[in-house]
């Protein structure tokens, strides 16, 4: 005997972590055999073989796998309580509403959408909802309601004379409207979060795929039903903006599986497992369909995963936080031009044109989610910077133009990125003291963005651009301590990171993002110590330590399922500045007026990661009587 209870418990311990069922008081399911956890067999006494404990599959249904097993009295066999308890007549017992705290499954195999549409004399979806509410069940603001159905309306319809295409279309519209009326009924009864499922392609099931005519008829019925339900759901969403209608596109999910069956472990996607004793004995291994219309346990698990990801935009949408962090880190680094170029006490020297090779590599911890995976990522950039420095008396000034390109890579997100940076500064010296201002702008391009959706084989792609600004003021001074010059300094500034909105492209689970508009104040405190290298006045070695932080930060954006009526969610970016950082460098004149400088820095990002950067610079004299501390 298979350890079904253990397997089910393990699945529930993983999959629901995405949907975070604790966010809901309980889950209530209305529907047909695709959701039924044993209601039909419990009331009619039909033998379960070869079905698993009354399910129309060889394992638990997708809605059970999605639900929190802690909120059920039926463990270990189901994470949901059966609503229809046994009575003197089928479906005549006292309904179990789960005390409005436990998960309840009211779905019944064979149920249609409205009275008269069921394949068998069983409670249709409309009756399920009305009976649940009449029995005292609540569809509260913190409950997740699943409404799924429509297939039995078509099975009953196709059981009569062969219909024309026009008749199929008419039936599809009627059935779609009927299911939409059930959504409206649940809204009227207080439901605030509803998972709305359309139909997978009926033409691809073993019941219809045996002939071209059957496959075409099933496809036409599905397409008509789904388009009608989609239009009606959009209208309901517009009329009820406080209700979160999350559309579960079973049709597109099935197409993804059929496009790459081997990636999901399927070797047979056209036949029913129950037609083969060998397949039944192997518990459906490799099969997509258990019988002529119902999915195997393996397929049910995929549906549960898909539903969980639909409910997890707040987690999956976190991946693109990386774009904002990369943009902020690079803008703060580029803006640090005063201390890097004009305030270091390397001795008097001529101003100059300079060019430098620059590069950085970073690693960020991200956030870990049980099934979706982690959002940790690395990025690396390399490029060149060119600029000039000059002095006129006690005033120094300069500007720089830089271009860097590289890649971002992680479990959840990858992208190519390029940034062009323009910065300028002006500095006034007052003996040993100095004060200055600087400002700059970056133009970022994030291309070939690829986000792993969490559903096998499905990667969401996109691209976007950004413009970032910064301005700050720096004060500091130089102190001589023997042969060492100490330079304490502090700066305070403002940064604005603006990444354009964009919409991903993917067959399912694509996300749409609002602008990522980050505004923040930042501050830096540091101390540098420098001295001549081997006693050579024109060569300097230095070390530096400091801390950089953010304050008064506004850094959130919206993410929502693209082409879906689901509500957008707000995602806090929680970006970080360098935190504690450490720097070392050496520089000196190698020829008359030509200077070579190298520098390495590591910043610890307040424990969220680290960034290592370096630069190798060659400075050529401008000519004329320019002098500058460099």
């Amino acid at each position: 005997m298979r350890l079904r209870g253990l397997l089910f418990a393990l699945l529930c311990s993983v999959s629901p972590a995405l949907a975070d069922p604790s966010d809901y008081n309980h889950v209530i399911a209305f529907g047909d055999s695709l959701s039924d956890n044993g209601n039909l067999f419990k009331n009619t006494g039909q033998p379960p073989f070869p079905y698993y404990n009354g399910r129309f599959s060889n394992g638990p249904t997708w809605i059970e796998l999605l639900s929190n097993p802690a909120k059920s009295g039926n463990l270990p066999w189901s994470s949901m309580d059966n609503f229809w308890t046994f009575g003197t007549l089928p479906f005549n017992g006292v309904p179990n509403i789960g005390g409005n705290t436990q998960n309840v499954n009211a779905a019944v195999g064979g149920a249609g959408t409205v009275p008269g549409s069921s394949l068998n004399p069983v409670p249709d979806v409309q009756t399920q909802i009305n009976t649940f509410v009449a029995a005292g069940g609540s569809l509260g603001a913190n409950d997740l309601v699943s409404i799924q159905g429509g297939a039995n309306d078509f099975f009953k319809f196709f059981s009569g004379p062969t219909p024309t295409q026009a008749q199929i279309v008419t039936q599809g519209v009627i059935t779609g409207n009927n299911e939409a009326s059930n959504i409206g009924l649940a809204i009227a009864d207080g439901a605030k979060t509803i998972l709305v499922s359309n139909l997978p392609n009926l033409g691809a099931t073993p019941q219809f795929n045996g002939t071209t005519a059957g496959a075409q008829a099933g496809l036409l019925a599905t397409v008509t039903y789904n388009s009608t339900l989609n239009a009606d759901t959009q209208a309901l969403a517009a009329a009820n903006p406080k209700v979160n209608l999350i559309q579960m596109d079973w049709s597109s999910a099935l197409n993804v599986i059929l496009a790459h069956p081997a990636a999901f472990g399927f070797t047979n996607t056209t036949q029913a497992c129950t037609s083969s004793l060998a397949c039944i004995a192997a518990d459906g291994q490799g099969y997509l369909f258990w019988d002529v219309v119902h999915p195997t346990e393996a397929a049910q698990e995929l549906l549960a995963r898909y539903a969980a990801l639909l409910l997890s935009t707040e987690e999956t949408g976190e991946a693109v936080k990386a774009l904002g962090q990369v943009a902020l880190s690079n803008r703060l680094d580029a803006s640090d031009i005063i201390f890097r170029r004009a305030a270091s006490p390397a001795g008097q020297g001529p101003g100059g044109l300079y060019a430098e090779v620059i590069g950085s590599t970073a690693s960020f911890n991200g956030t870990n989610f049980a099934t979706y995976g982690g959002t940790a990522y690395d990025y690396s950039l390399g490029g060149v910077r060119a600029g000039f420095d000059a002095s006129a008396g006690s005033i120094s000034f300069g500007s720089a133009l830089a271009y860097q390109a590289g890649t971002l890579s992680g479990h959840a997100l990858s992208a190519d990125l390029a940034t062009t940076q323009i910065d300028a500064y002006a500095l006034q010296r007052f003996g040993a003291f100095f004060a200055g201002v600087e400002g700059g702008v970056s133009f970022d391009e994030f291309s070939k963005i690829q986000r792993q959706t969490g559903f096998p084989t499905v990667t969401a792609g996109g691209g976007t651009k950004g413009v970032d600004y910064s301005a700050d003021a720096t004060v500091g001074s130089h102190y001589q301590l023997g042969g060492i010059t100490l330079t304490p300094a502090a700066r305070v500034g403002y940064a604005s990171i603006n990444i354009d909105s964009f919409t991903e492209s993917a067959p399912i689970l694509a996300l749409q993002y609002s602008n990522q508009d980050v505004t923040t104040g930042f501050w830096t405190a540091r101390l540098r110590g420098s001295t001549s290298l081997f006693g050579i006045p024109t060569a300097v070695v230095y070390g530096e330590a400091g801390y950089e932080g953010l304050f008064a930060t506004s850094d959130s954006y919206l993410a929502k399922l693209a082409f879906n009526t689901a509500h957008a969610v707000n995602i806090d970016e929680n970006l970080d500045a360098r935190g504690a950082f450490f720097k070392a460098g050496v520089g000196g004149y190698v020829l008359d007026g030509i200077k070579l400088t190298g520098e390495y820095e590591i910043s610890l990002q307040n424990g969220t990661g680290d960034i290592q950067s370096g630069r190798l610079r060659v400075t050529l004299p401008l000519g004329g009587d320019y002098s500058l501390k460099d």
Side-chain angles (χ1 to χ4, degrees), residues 147-493:
I147 295 180
Q148 169 275 315
N152 289 305
D153 300 56
F154 289 111
F155 297 155
K156 184 175 183 178
F157 169 73
F158 282 116
S159 66
T162 302
T164 65
Q165 287 191 349
Q167 290 171 328
I168 294 174
V169 169
T170 298
Q171 181 64 36
V173 172
I174 291 172
T175 306
N177 288 334
N178 286 343
E179 187 74 333
S181 71
N182 291 329
I183 301 169
L185 179 62
I187 293 173
D189 288 331
K192 297 299 181 184
T193 302
I194 304 176
L195 191 60
V196 179
S197 300
N198 68 9
L199 283 175
N201 179 12
L202 297 177
T205 65
Q207 181 160 322
F208 290 88
N209 65 20
T211 66
T212 300
Q216 291 176 343
L219 176 61
L220 179 59
T222 303
V223 169
T224 307
Y225 171 85
N226 287 349
S227 61
T228 302
L229 180 61
N230 176 57
D232 290 348
T233 302
Q234 291 189 42
L236 285 167
N240 302 274
K242 294 184 178 180
V243 178
N244 190 14
L245 299 178
I246 305 168
Q247 293 173 287
M248 186 170 176
D249 188 358
W250 285 22
S251 179
S252 295
L254 176 61
N255 290 341
V256 168
I257 295 171
L258 292 175
H260 305 283
F264 297 89
F266 296 121
T267 56
N268 188 318
T269 61
T270 59
Q271 296 175 307
C273 178
T274 52
S275 64
S276 166
L277 291 177
C279 179
I280 294 175
D283 197 28
Q285 184 174 0
Y287 274 67
L288 176 63
F289 295 102
W290 182 244
D291 60 20
V292 293
V293 292
H294 299 107
T296 57
E297 179 183 21
Q300 295 277 6
E301 292 169 10
L302 288 171
L303 289 174
R305 184 178 186 86
Y306 175 40
L309 289 164
L310 287 171
L311 295 167
S312 303
T313 300
E314 191 170 3
E315 288 81 21
T316 58
E318 277 200 16
V320 300
K321 288 166 54 172
L323 306 184
Q325 182 64 67
V326 171
L328 177 64
S329 296
N330 286 312
R331 176 85 306 264
L332 293 182
D333 177 71
S335 72
D336 203 11
I337 190 170
I338 286 181
F339 205 75
R340 186 170 62 240
R341 298 294 304 134
S344 58
Q348 293 287 342
L353 296 169
Y354 67 88
E356 57 186 10
V357 177
I358 53 179
S360 61
T361 179
S363 179
F364 283 84
N365 303 330
T367 305
N368 291 318
F369 301 106
T371 306
Y372 176 60
T375 59
Y377 62 94
D378 301 327
Y379 75 82
S380 59
L381 284 172
V384 295
R385 178 181 285 121
F388 77 93
D389 301 304
S391 292
S394 61
I395 298 177
S396 299
F397 55 91
S399 66
L401 173 65
Y403 176 81
Q404 297 186 76
T407 58
L408 181 155
S409 61
H411 171 80
L413 192 76
S414 64
D416 289 347
L417 55 105
T419 180
T420 301
Q421 302 161 336
I422 304 171
D423 290 272
Y425 74 93
L427 181 73
Q428 174 73 56
R429 290 187 174 82
F430 308 91
F433 296 92
F434 59 87
V437 293
E438 59 193 330
V441 59
S442 298
F443 301 95
D444 304 323
E445 182 171 0
F446 299 94
S447 59
K448 299 180 181 179
I449 296 174
Q450 299 286 310
R451 182 182 62 83
Q452 300 301 319
T453 63
F455 195 85
T457 77
V458 179
T459 300
T464 187
K465 296 181 178 181
V467 181
D468 318 316
Y469 305 92
S470 66
D472 64 83
T474 296
V475 295
S477 62
H478 301 305
Y479 297 95
Q480 295 297 324
L481 185 63
I484 299 175
T485 300
L486 296 178
T487 306
R491 71 168 179 162
V492 62

Side-chain angles (χ1 to χ4, degrees), residues 600-625:
Y600 167 80
E601 177 183 343
I602 181 169
S603 59
L604 303 182
Q605 297 294 131
N606 290 312
T608 62
D610 64 79
I611 299 176
Q612 300 182 61
S613 61
R615 52 183 53 86
L616 183 64
R617 180 189 317 126
V618 175
T619 305
L620 304 175
L622 283 169
D625 185 18

Side-chain angles (χ1 to χ4, degrees), residues 49-68:
F49 182 83
Y51 298 101
Y52 165 66
N53 281 5
R55 279 75 160 184
F56 286 80
S57 184
N58 59 322
T61 62
W62 69 276
I63 192 65
E64 295 176 83
L65 295 172
L66 183 69
S67 303
N68 185 349

Side-chain angles (χ1 to χ4, degrees), residues 517-530:
D517 295 328
V518 178
T519 57
T520 183
F522 63 91
W523 60 274
T524 310
R526 69 222 305 173
L527 176 65
R528 173 177 287 190
S530 59

